[in-house]
Amino acid sequence: ELKVEQNPLFLSMQEGKNYTIYCNYSTTSDRLYWYRQDPGKSLESLFVLLSNGAVKQEGRLMASLDTKARLSTLHITAAVHDLSATYFCAVVGVNTNAGKSTFGDGTTLTVKP
Amino acid sequence: DTGVSQDPRHKITKRGQNVTFRCDPISEHNRLYWYRQTLGQGPEFLTYFQNEAQLEKSRLLSDRFSAERPKGSFSTLEIQRTEQGDSAMYLCASSLDRAGVTEAFFGQGTRLTVV
C-alpha cells in the first residue's frame, strides 16, 4: 500500500525567509503532484513531476523529485503572505491512472510579516 | 466549459437523511474520480469511473455510499442514512484517458455537514 508522508505538518515563517517542505513516499511511483489549498476551497495544481531529477519552478516555489530516495521537496524562497495556504503532495503508483492519487496530510504554511 | 463543476457547494443535513451530490467533469474527460477530505487531512480516494463503468471502489466506500455515472458524463454520489462521521468535503476530479496525460483536475467540492 502506497503511503505518503509530509513534514512538517505546520510551518510558521517570517516574510522573506526560505524554507523547504518534504514529501516521502513508500513505493515506486510514476508521478508526483504538488497542490495548494486555501481554507474551504478546492485543490489548485502547482507542479507535476514525472521523472527522477525533475525540477520545476513557479515564482517563489520550486519543486524537485528524487525517485531513488522516494522524496520530493517544495522549496519556498523569500516567503510572502500570499503563500499562506495548505500544500499537499500526491503520488500516483506505477501503472495507476492519473486521477487515483494518494495524498499526504498536508503542510499548513503561515507566513507572518 | 471551464472546469469540473460540483453541486451543491454546501449541504447541511440531519443524521439519518439521504443526500446526493452531482459532479460535471470537463466535457472531453472520460475518467471521473470521487475523493473525500476530512478536516486536517489530505483527500482520500473513494471511487473512479471510466465512461459509465465504475472500475474501482475504495474500502472507504461503505454500503451506504453509491456512485453512478449513467451516461458517461455527469456523476452522482449518494450517501444513505447519513452519520456524523460522513461530514467532510467531497471532491470530484476528472481526467482524459490518453497516453501522456499526466494529471486530473479537481472541482470546488461539496462540503457536507451532518448534524
Side-chain angles (χ1 to χ4, degrees):
Chain A
E1 183 187 347
L2 177 56
K3 292 188 186 300
V4 180
E5 195 172 285
Q6 283 182 242
N7 71 83
L9 296 182
F10 297 93
L11 177 57
S12 179
M13 53 192 298
Q14 297 249 279
E15 278 191 332
K17 298 292 188 183
N18 304 334
Y19 208 82
T20 299
I21 299 170
Y22 297 88
C23 173
N24 289 89
Y25 54 96
S26 60
T27 64
T28 306
S29 168
D30 268 342
R31 282 148 284 172
L32 189 141
Y33 306 97
W34 283 97
Y35 293 93
R36 169 181 172 146
Q37 187 175 42
D38 291 294
K41 302 293 178 65
S42 189
L43 299 166
E44 174 190 352
S45 178
L46 296 174
F47 301 109
V48 180
L49 302 170
L50 301 177
S51 59
N52 187 43
V55 177
K56 291 197 174 179
Q57 182 161 7
E58 181 74 34
R60 301 174 187 273
L61 300 177
M62 183 173 71
S64 66
L65 178 62
D66 180 344
T67 58
K68 293 178 182 176
R70 296 178 185 162
L71 171 70
S72 179
T73 61
L74 180 66
H75 186 73
I76 302 155
T77 302
V80 293
H81 179 70
D82 285 352
L83 290 180
S84 297
T86 297
Y87 293 85
F88 290 96
C89 68
V91 177
V92 178
V94 173
N95 298 324
T96 303
N97 69 65
K100 191 190 167 192
S101 297
T102 300
F103 282 77
D105 281 339
T107 296
T108 299
L109 171 65
T110 303
V111 180
K112 298 182 177 179
Chain B
D1 184 271
T2 56
V4 179
S5 175
Q6 292 187 244
D7 183 71
R9 296 288 305 278
H10 303 274
K11 178 72 178 178
I12 300 174
T13 191
K14 291 184 178 178
R15 191 172 49 190
Q17 298 292 303
N18 300 343
V19 294
T20 300
F21 311 140
R22 177 178 170 126
C23 171
D24 287 89
I26 294 172
S27 58
E28 65 267 27
H29 286 185
N30 57 348
R31 285 187 171 165
L32 186 148
Y33 312 84
W34 286 99
Y35 284 81
R36 180 174 70 187
Q37 184 179 22
T38 52
L39 206 59
Q41 309 259 314
E44 296 172 293
F45 170 80
L46 292 178
T47 187
Y48 95 91
F49 292 82
Q50 177 148 330
N51 300 313
E52 65 275 12
Q54 188 173 17
L55 295 188
E56 189 170 345
K57 292 195 287 187
S58 161
R59 55 186 164 78
L60 294 175
L61 213 64
S62 78
D63 55 7
R64 295 185 297 106
F65 288 69
S66 63
E68 292 183 343
R69 193 182 182 198
K71 296 181 180 178
S73 57
F74 73 91
S75 175
T76 58
L77 178 68
E78 181 184 15
I79 309 173
Q80 296 183 323
R81 305 181 303 282
T82 52
E83 300 173 357
Q84 286 191 317
D86 297 331
S87 296
M89 174 83 91
Y90 290 84
L91 294 165
C92 175
S94 70
S95 73
L96 190 59
D97 175 21
R98 188 177 65 197
V101 169
T102 56
E103 62 181 310
F105 297 87
F106 283 83
Q108 294 296 306
T110 294
R111 180 166 296 283
L112 173 67
T113 303
V114 181
V115 297

mmCIF file of all heavy atoms in Angstrom, chain B residues 40-79:
data_model
loop_
_atom_site.group_PDB
_atom_site.id
_atom_site.type_symbol
_atom_site.label_atom_id
_atom_site.label_comp_id
_atom_site.label_asym_id
_atom_site.label_seq_id
_atom_site.Cartn_x
_atom_site.Cartn_y
_atom_site.Cartn_z
ATOM 1 N N GLY B 40 -8.188 18.679 8.263
ATOM 2 C CA GLY B 40 -6.821 18.413 8.675
ATOM 3 C C GLY B 40 -6.163 17.237 7.992
ATOM 4 O O GLY B 40 -5.051 16.840 8.345
ATOM 5 N N GLN B 41 -6.843 16.671 6.994
ATOM 6 C CA GLN B 41 -6.297 15.514 6.285
ATOM 7 C C GLN B 41 -6.220 15.793 4.789
ATOM 8 O O GLN B 41 -6.884 16.705 4.286
ATOM 9 C CB GLN B 41 -7.213 14.308 6.484
ATOM 10 C CG GLN B 41 -7.563 14.007 7.915
ATOM 11 C CD GLN B 41 -6.746 12.877 8.471
ATOM 12 O OE1 GLN B 41 -6.597 11.850 7.828
ATOM 13 N NE2 GLN B 41 -6.194 13.057 9.644
ATOM 14 N N GLY B 42 -5.442 14.966 4.106
ATOM 15 C CA GLY B 42 -5.458 15.049 2.651
ATOM 16 C C GLY B 42 -6.652 14.305 2.084
ATOM 17 O O GLY B 42 -7.261 13.479 2.762
ATOM 18 N N PRO B 43 -6.998 14.578 0.845
ATOM 19 C CA PRO B 43 -8.104 13.863 0.202
ATOM 20 C C PRO B 43 -7.821 12.364 0.141
ATOM 21 O O PRO B 43 -6.675 11.948 -0.046
ATOM 22 C CB PRO B 43 -8.159 14.474 -1.199
ATOM 23 C CG PRO B 43 -7.514 15.807 -1.061
ATOM 24 C CD PRO B 43 -6.450 15.635 -0.031
ATOM 25 N N GLU B 44 -8.890 11.566 0.290
ATOM 26 C CA GLU B 44 -8.775 10.106 0.201
ATOM 27 C C GLU B 44 -9.627 9.622 -0.968
ATOM 28 O O GLU B 44 -10.798 10.000 -1.097
ATOM 29 C CB GLU B 44 -9.271 9.445 1.488
ATOM 30 C CG GLU B 44 -8.447 9.792 2.715
ATOM 31 C CD GLU B 44 -9.099 9.257 3.973
ATOM 32 O OE1 GLU B 44 -10.188 9.762 4.330
ATOM 33 O OE2 GLU B 44 -8.536 8.331 4.580
ATOM 34 N N PHE B 45 -9.030 8.775 -1.775
ATOM 35 C CA PHE B 45 -9.710 8.243 -2.954
ATOM 36 C C PHE B 45 -10.898 7.380 -2.543
ATOM 37 O O PHE B 45 -10.792 6.542 -1.638
ATOM 38 C CB PHE B 45 -8.713 7.405 -3.759
ATOM 39 C CG PHE B 45 -9.320 6.606 -4.871
ATOM 40 C CD1 PHE B 45 -9.637 7.196 -6.075
ATOM 41 C CD2 PHE B 45 -9.572 5.255 -4.700
ATOM 42 C CE1 PHE B 45 -10.200 6.449 -7.103
ATOM 43 C CE2 PHE B 45 -10.122 4.496 -5.718
ATOM 44 C CZ PHE B 45 -10.437 5.099 -6.918
ATOM 45 N N LEU B 46 -12.040 7.588 -3.217
ATOM 46 C CA LEU B 46 -13.232 6.773 -2.954
ATOM 47 C C LEU B 46 -13.530 5.817 -4.105
ATOM 48 O O LEU B 46 -13.703 4.617 -3.904
ATOM 49 C CB LEU B 46 -14.454 7.671 -2.734
ATOM 50 C CG LEU B 46 -14.469 8.533 -1.470
ATOM 51 C CD1 LEU B 46 -15.731 9.391 -1.431
ATOM 52 C CD2 LEU B 46 -14.365 7.670 -0.227
ATOM 53 N N THR B 47 -13.616 6.374 -5.334
ATOM 54 C CA THR B 47 -14.016 5.539 -6.450
ATOM 55 C C THR B 47 -13.689 6.255 -7.755
ATOM 56 O O THR B 47 -13.468 7.466 -7.758
ATOM 57 C CB THR B 47 -15.512 5.209 -6.396
ATOM 58 O OG1 THR B 47 -15.837 4.255 -7.417
ATOM 59 C CG2 THR B 47 -16.381 6.439 -6.577
ATOM 60 N N TYR B 48 -13.633 5.481 -8.856
ATOM 61 C CA TYR B 48 -13.486 6.148 -10.135
ATOM 62 C C TYR B 48 -14.241 5.419 -11.241
ATOM 63 O O TYR B 48 -14.517 4.223 -11.151
ATOM 64 C CB TYR B 48 -12.020 6.395 -10.498
ATOM 65 C CG TYR B 48 -11.343 5.372 -11.374
ATOM 66 C CD1 TYR B 48 -11.352 5.518 -12.764
ATOM 67 C CD2 TYR B 48 -10.645 4.317 -10.824
ATOM 68 C CE1 TYR B 48 -10.691 4.613 -13.575
ATOM 69 C CE2 TYR B 48 -9.988 3.411 -11.620
ATOM 70 C CZ TYR B 48 -9.999 3.551 -13.001
ATOM 71 O OH TYR B 48 -9.349 2.655 -13.795
ATOM 72 N N PHE B 49 -14.575 6.200 -12.268
ATOM 73 C CA PHE B 49 -15.299 5.712 -13.435
ATOM 74 C C PHE B 49 -14.471 5.939 -14.683
ATOM 75 O O PHE B 49 -13.805 6.962 -14.824
ATOM 76 C CB PHE B 49 -16.616 6.488 -13.624
ATOM 77 C CG PHE B 49 -17.631 6.233 -12.553
ATOM 78 C CD1 PHE B 49 -17.577 6.907 -11.345
ATOM 79 C CD2 PHE B 49 -18.650 5.317 -12.755
ATOM 80 C CE1 PHE B 49 -18.506 6.679 -10.357
ATOM 81 C CE2 PHE B 49 -19.600 5.081 -11.774
ATOM 82 C CZ PHE B 49 -19.517 5.764 -10.568
ATOM 83 N N GLN B 50 -14.563 4.999 -15.581
ATOM 84 C CA GLN B 50 -14.114 5.229 -16.944
ATOM 85 C C GLN B 50 -15.368 5.135 -17.807
ATOM 86 O O GLN B 50 -16.008 4.079 -17.864
ATOM 87 C CB GLN B 50 -13.083 4.203 -17.401
ATOM 88 C CG GLN B 50 -12.680 4.426 -18.856
ATOM 89 C CD GLN B 50 -11.261 4.047 -19.141
ATOM 90 O OE1 GLN B 50 -10.396 4.134 -18.278
ATOM 91 N NE2 GLN B 50 -11.020 3.610 -20.369
ATOM 92 N N ASN B 51 -15.702 6.249 -18.418
ATOM 93 C CA ASN B 51 -17.013 6.371 -19.077
ATOM 94 C C ASN B 51 -18.087 6.041 -18.036
ATOM 95 O O ASN B 51 -18.063 6.599 -16.960
ATOM 96 C CB ASN B 51 -17.053 5.506 -20.320
ATOM 97 C CG ASN B 51 -15.978 5.906 -21.315
ATOM 98 O OD1 ASN B 51 -15.809 7.080 -21.610
ATOM 99 N ND2 ASN B 51 -15.235 4.930 -21.817
ATOM 100 N N GLU B 52 -19.002 5.113 -18.336
ATOM 101 C CA GLU B 52 -20.059 4.844 -17.368
ATOM 102 C C GLU B 52 -19.708 3.699 -16.417
ATOM 103 O O GLU B 52 -20.458 3.411 -15.482
ATOM 104 C CB GLU B 52 -21.379 4.535 -18.082
ATOM 105 C CG GLU B 52 -21.364 3.266 -18.908
ATOM 106 C CD GLU B 52 -20.816 3.491 -20.310
ATOM 107 O OE1 GLU B 52 -20.242 4.564 -20.580
ATOM 108 O OE2 GLU B 52 -20.959 2.562 -21.125
ATOM 109 N N ALA B 53 -18.585 3.054 -16.627
ATOM 110 C CA ALA B 53 -18.212 1.895 -15.812
ATOM 111 C C ALA B 53 -17.457 2.315 -14.551
ATOM 112 O O ALA B 53 -16.455 3.031 -14.625
ATOM 113 C CB ALA B 53 -17.362 0.949 -16.647
ATOM 114 N N GLN B 54 -17.936 1.830 -13.411
ATOM 115 C CA GLN B 54 -17.255 2.078 -12.148
ATOM 116 C C GLN B 54 -16.186 1.008 -11.995
ATOM 117 O O GLN B 54 -16.491 -0.172 -11.777
ATOM 118 C CB GLN B 54 -18.245 2.018 -10.986
ATOM 119 C CG GLN B 54 -17.640 2.448 -9.659
ATOM 120 C CD GLN B 54 -18.684 2.535 -8.554
ATOM 121 O OE1 GLN B 54 -19.784 1.988 -8.660
ATOM 122 N NE2 GLN B 54 -18.372 3.233 -7.479
ATOM 123 N N LEU B 55 -14.922 1.395 -12.102
ATOM 124 C CA LEU B 55 -13.845 0.423 -12.204
ATOM 125 C C LEU B 55 -13.171 0.102 -10.878
ATOM 126 O O LEU B 55 -12.528 -0.941 -10.765
ATOM 127 C CB LEU B 55 -12.800 0.890 -13.215
ATOM 128 C CG LEU B 55 -13.276 0.983 -14.661
ATOM 129 C CD1 LEU B 55 -12.114 1.275 -15.591
ATOM 130 C CD2 LEU B 55 -13.985 -0.300 -15.088
ATOM 131 N N GLU B 56 -13.274 0.991 -9.926
ATOM 132 C CA GLU B 56 -12.601 0.723 -8.664
ATOM 133 C C GLU B 56 -13.327 1.437 -7.533
ATOM 134 O O GLU B 56 -13.804 2.561 -7.713
ATOM 135 C CB GLU B 56 -11.141 1.193 -8.715
ATOM 136 C CG GLU B 56 -10.324 0.755 -7.518
ATOM 137 C CD GLU B 56 -8.836 1.011 -7.691
ATOM 138 O OE1 GLU B 56 -8.392 1.273 -8.829
ATOM 139 O OE2 GLU B 56 -8.124 0.941 -6.679
ATOM 140 N N LYS B 57 -13.424 0.760 -6.404
ATOM 141 C CA LYS B 57 -14.014 1.356 -5.203
ATOM 142 C C LYS B 57 -13.079 1.121 -4.036
ATOM 143 O O LYS B 57 -12.611 0.008 -3.812
ATOM 144 C CB LYS B 57 -15.370 0.712 -4.899
ATOM 145 C CG LYS B 57 -16.439 1.023 -5.915
ATOM 146 C CD LYS B 57 -17.824 0.685 -5.395
ATOM 147 C CE LYS B 57 -18.087 -0.785 -5.347
ATOM 148 N NZ LYS B 57 -19.495 -1.073 -5.006
ATOM 149 N N SER B 58 -12.854 2.173 -3.268
ATOM 150 C CA SER B 58 -12.043 2.052 -2.068
ATOM 151 C C SER B 58 -12.829 1.331 -0.976
ATOM 152 O O SER B 58 -14.064 1.377 -0.945
ATOM 153 C CB SER B 58 -11.649 3.450 -1.603
ATOM 154 O OG SER B 58 -11.245 3.449 -0.259
ATOM 155 N N ARG B 59 -12.083 0.738 -0.052
ATOM 156 C CA ARG B 59 -12.764 0.118 1.099
ATOM 157 C C ARG B 59 -13.407 1.192 1.980
ATOM 158 O O ARG B 59 -14.214 0.886 2.848
ATOM 159 C CB ARG B 59 -11.786 -0.726 1.897
ATOM 160 C CG ARG B 59 -10.564 0.007 2.358
ATOM 161 C CD ARG B 59 -9.565 -0.938 3.023
ATOM 162 N NE ARG B 59 -8.254 -0.341 3.140
ATOM 163 C CZ ARG B 59 -7.909 0.545 4.063
ATOM 164 N NH1 ARG B 59 -8.777 0.925 4.967
ATOM 165 N NH2 ARG B 59 -6.688 1.057 4.090
ATOM 166 N N LEU B 60 -13.061 2.459 1.758
ATOM 167 C CA LEU B 60 -13.696 3.558 2.497
ATOM 168 C C LEU B 60 -15.155 3.723 2.094
ATOM 169 O O LEU B 60 -15.955 4.316 2.816
ATOM 170 C CB LEU B 60 -12.966 4.878 2.226
ATOM 171 C CG LEU B 60 -11.538 5.011 2.719
ATOM 172 C CD1 LEU B 60 -10.964 6.335 2.239
ATOM 173 C CD2 LEU B 60 -11.488 4.943 4.233
ATOM 174 N N LEU B 61 -15.492 3.220 0.917
ATOM 175 C CA LEU B 61 -16.833 3.402 0.378
ATOM 176 C C LEU B 61 -17.748 2.321 0.968
ATOM 177 O O LEU B 61 -17.866 1.226 0.409
ATOM 178 C CB LEU B 61 -16.785 3.303 -1.141
ATOM 179 C CG LEU B 61 -17.769 4.151 -1.929
ATOM 180 C CD1 LEU B 61 -17.509 5.623 -1.713
ATOM 181 C CD2 LEU B 61 -17.699 3.812 -3.404
ATOM 182 N N SER B 62 -18.399 2.664 2.085
ATOM 183 C CA SER B 62 -19.261 1.668 2.731
ATOM 184 C C SER B 62 -20.505 1.437 1.882
ATOM 185 O O SER B 62 -20.754 2.134 0.887
ATOM 186 C CB SER B 62 -19.658 2.169 4.120
ATOM 187 O OG SER B 62 -20.681 3.132 4.019
ATOM 188 N N ASP B 63 -21.328 0.472 2.312
ATOM 189 C CA ASP B 63 -22.514 0.142 1.523
ATOM 190 C C ASP B 63 -23.575 1.233 1.596
ATOM 191 O O ASP B 63 -24.585 1.170 0.896
ATOM 192 C CB ASP B 63 -23.091 -1.216 1.949
ATOM 193 C CG ASP B 63 -23.397 -1.274 3.430
ATOM 194 O OD1 ASP B 63 -23.284 -0.223 4.103
ATOM 195 O OD2 ASP B 63 -23.732 -2.360 3.927
ATOM 196 N N ARG B 64 -23.368 2.254 2.424
ATOM 197 C CA ARG B 64 -24.299 3.385 2.433
ATOM 198 C C ARG B 64 -23.992 4.373 1.299
ATOM 199 O O ARG B 64 -24.776 5.269 1.043
ATOM 200 C CB ARG B 64 -24.220 4.121 3.767
ATOM 201 C CG ARG B 64 -24.674 3.294 4.963
ATOM 202 C CD ARG B 64 -24.681 4.120 6.234
ATOM 203 N NE ARG B 64 -23.339 4.601 6.589
ATOM 204 C CZ ARG B 64 -22.936 5.856 6.438
ATOM 205 N NH1 ARG B 64 -23.753 6.767 5.939
ATOM 206 N NH2 ARG B 64 -21.721 6.206 6.789
ATOM 207 N N PHE B 65 -22.849 4.196 0.671
ATOM 208 C CA PHE B 65 -22.425 5.090 -0.404
ATOM 209 C C PHE B 65 -22.653 4.403 -1.749
ATOM 210 O O PHE B 65 -22.316 3.229 -1.914
ATOM 211 C CB PHE B 65 -20.927 5.409 -0.285
ATOM 212 C CG PHE B 65 -20.564 6.325 0.841
ATOM 213 C CD1 PHE B 65 -20.673 5.915 2.155
ATOM 214 C CD2 PHE B 65 -20.084 7.597 0.586
ATOM 215 C CE1 PHE B 65 -20.330 6.759 3.204
ATOM 216 C CE2 PHE B 65 -19.728 8.455 1.621
ATOM 217 C CZ PHE B 65 -19.850 8.035 2.920
ATOM 218 N N SER B 66 -23.185 5.160 -2.689
ATOM 219 C CA SER B 66 -23.269 4.637 -4.048
ATOM 220 C C SER B 66 -22.995 5.762 -5.027
ATOM 221 O O SER B 66 -23.403 6.900 -4.814
ATOM 222 C CB SER B 66 -24.641 4.011 -4.319
ATOM 223 O OG SER B 66 -25.647 4.986 -4.213
ATOM 224 N N ALA B 67 -22.267 5.424 -6.069
ATOM 225 C CA ALA B 67 -21.937 6.404 -7.095
ATOM 226 C C ALA B 67 -22.369 5.860 -8.439
ATOM 227 O O ALA B 67 -22.297 4.654 -8.691
ATOM 228 C CB ALA B 67 -20.435 6.710 -7.092
ATOM 229 N N GLU B 68 -22.806 6.776 -9.300
ATOM 230 C CA GLU B 68 -23.219 6.391 -10.640
ATOM 231 C C GLU B 68 -22.704 7.412 -11.650
ATOM 232 O O GLU B 68 -22.480 8.577 -11.311
ATOM 233 C CB GLU B 68 -24.752 6.374 -10.741
ATOM 234 C CG GLU B 68 -25.410 5.299 -9.934
ATOM 235 C CD GLU B 68 -26.925 5.296 -10.146
ATOM 236 O OE1 GLU B 68 -27.460 6.290 -10.652
ATOM 237 O OE2 GLU B 68 -27.545 4.271 -9.805
ATOM 238 N N ARG B 69 -22.593 6.936 -12.855
ATOM 239 C CA ARG B 69 -22.274 7.839 -13.958
ATOM 240 C C ARG B 69 -23.028 7.288 -15.171
ATOM 241 O O ARG B 69 -22.435 6.692 -16.060
ATOM 242 C CB ARG B 69 -20.756 7.873 -14.201
ATOM 243 C CG ARG B 69 -20.331 9.015 -15.099
ATOM 244 C CD ARG B 69 -18.842 9.004 -15.365
ATOM 245 N NE ARG B 69 -18.472 10.151 -16.186
ATOM 246 C CZ ARG B 69 -17.331 10.223 -16.870
ATOM 247 N NH1 ARG B 69 -16.456 9.225 -16.821
ATOM 248 N NH2 ARG B 69 -17.065 11.282 -17.590
ATOM 249 N N PRO B 70 -24.317 7.496 -15.182
ATOM 250 C CA PRO B 70 -25.200 6.751 -16.088
ATOM 251 C C PRO B 70 -24.912 6.891 -17.577
ATOM 252 O O PRO B 70 -25.062 5.948 -18.319
ATOM 253 C CB PRO B 70 -26.588 7.282 -15.738
ATOM 254 C CG PRO B 70 -26.371 8.549 -14.999
ATOM 255 C CD PRO B 70 -25.053 8.448 -14.340
ATOM 256 N N LYS B 71 -24.510 8.023 -18.040
ATOM 257 C CA LYS B 71 -24.279 8.183 -19.480
ATOM 258 C C LYS B 71 -22.834 8.531 -19.767
ATOM 259 O O LYS B 71 -22.509 9.020 -20.852
ATOM 260 C CB LYS B 71 -25.208 9.255 -20.048
ATOM 261 C CG LYS B 71 -26.682 8.887 -19.945
ATOM 262 C CD LYS B 71 -27.564 9.945 -20.544
ATOM 263 C CE LYS B 71 -29.035 9.520 -20.418
ATOM 264 N NZ LYS B 71 -29.948 10.556 -20.946
ATOM 265 N N GLY B 72 -21.989 8.295 -18.816
ATOM 266 C CA GLY B 72 -20.579 8.579 -19.021
ATOM 267 C C GLY B 72 -20.242 10.057 -19.014
ATOM 268 O O GLY B 72 -19.147 10.442 -19.418
ATOM 269 N N SER B 73 -21.209 10.878 -18.535
ATOM 270 C CA SER B 73 -20.908 12.316 -18.457
ATOM 271 C C SER B 73 -20.888 12.726 -16.991
ATOM 272 O O SER B 73 -19.893 12.512 -16.312
ATOM 273 C CB SER B 73 -21.923 13.127 -19.271
ATOM 274 O OG SER B 73 -23.240 12.849 -18.812
ATOM 275 N N PHE B 74 -22.002 13.275 -16.461
ATOM 276 C CA PHE B 74 -22.010 13.674 -15.057
ATOM 277 C C PHE B 74 -22.074 12.442 -14.162
ATOM 278 O O PHE B 74 -22.421 11.341 -14.605
ATOM 279 C CB PHE B 74 -23.182 14.622 -14.778
ATOM 280 C CG PHE B 74 -24.521 13.940 -14.758
ATOM 281 C CD1 PHE B 74 -25.053 13.441 -13.581
ATOM 282 C CD2 PHE B 74 -25.250 13.784 -15.933
ATOM 283 C CE1 PHE B 74 -26.281 12.802 -13.557
ATOM 284 C CE2 PHE B 74 -26.481 13.151 -15.928
ATOM 285 C CZ PHE B 74 -26.994 12.648 -14.740
ATOM 286 N N SER B 75 -21.739 12.656 -12.890
ATOM 287 C CA SER B 75 -21.797 11.569 -11.912
ATOM 288 C C SER B 75 -22.546 12.053 -10.679
ATOM 289 O O SER B 75 -22.571 13.258 -10.383
ATOM 290 C CB SER B 75 -20.387 11.141 -11.517
ATOM 291 O OG SER B 75 -20.399 10.174 -10.482
ATOM 292 N N THR B 76 -23.152 11.113 -9.970
ATOM 293 C CA THR B 76 -23.765 11.410 -8.680
ATOM 294 C C THR B 76 -23.170 10.509 -7.611
ATOM 295 O O THR B 76 -22.800 9.359 -7.883
ATOM 296 C CB THR B 76 -25.294 11.208 -8.711
ATOM 297 O OG1 THR B 76 -25.572 9.863 -9.099
ATOM 298 C CG2 THR B 76 -25.954 12.179 -9.673
ATOM 299 N N LEU B 77 -23.063 11.066 -6.423
ATOM 300 C CA LEU B 77 -22.633 10.315 -5.248
ATOM 301 C C LEU B 77 -23.730 10.445 -4.210
ATOM 302 O O LEU B 77 -24.087 11.551 -3.816
ATOM 303 C CB LEU B 77 -21.317 10.877 -4.696
ATOM 304 C CG LEU B 77 -20.765 10.215 -3.426
ATOM 305 C CD1 LEU B 77 -20.316 8.794 -3.709
ATOM 306 C CD2 LEU B 77 -19.612 11.021 -2.839
ATOM 307 N N GLU B 78 -24.306 9.316 -3.828
ATOM 308 C CA GLU B 78 -25.380 9.320 -2.844
ATOM 309 C C GLU B 78 -24.893 8.698 -1.548
ATOM 310 O O GLU B 78 -24.208 7.657 -1.573
ATOM 311 C CB GLU B 78 -26.604 8.542 -3.351
ATOM 312 C CG GLU B 78 -27.759 8.558 -2.351
ATOM 313 C CD GLU B 78 -28.962 7.716 -2.788
ATOM 314 O OE1 GLU B 78 -28.817 6.901 -3.711
ATOM 315 O OE2 GLU B 78 -30.037 7.894 -2.171
ATOM 316 N N ILE B 79 -25.254 9.319 -0.455
ATOM 317 C CA ILE B 79 -24.992 8.753 0.867
ATOM 318 C C ILE B 79 -26.340 8.519 1.535
ATOM 319 O O ILE B 79 -27.136 9.448 1.689
ATOM 320 C CB ILE B 79 -24.143 9.685 1.748
ATOM 321 C CG1 ILE B 79 -22.885 10.151 1.005
ATOM 322 C CG2 ILE B 79 -23.755 8.971 3.043
ATOM 323 C CD1 ILE B 79 -22.075 11.199 1.748
#
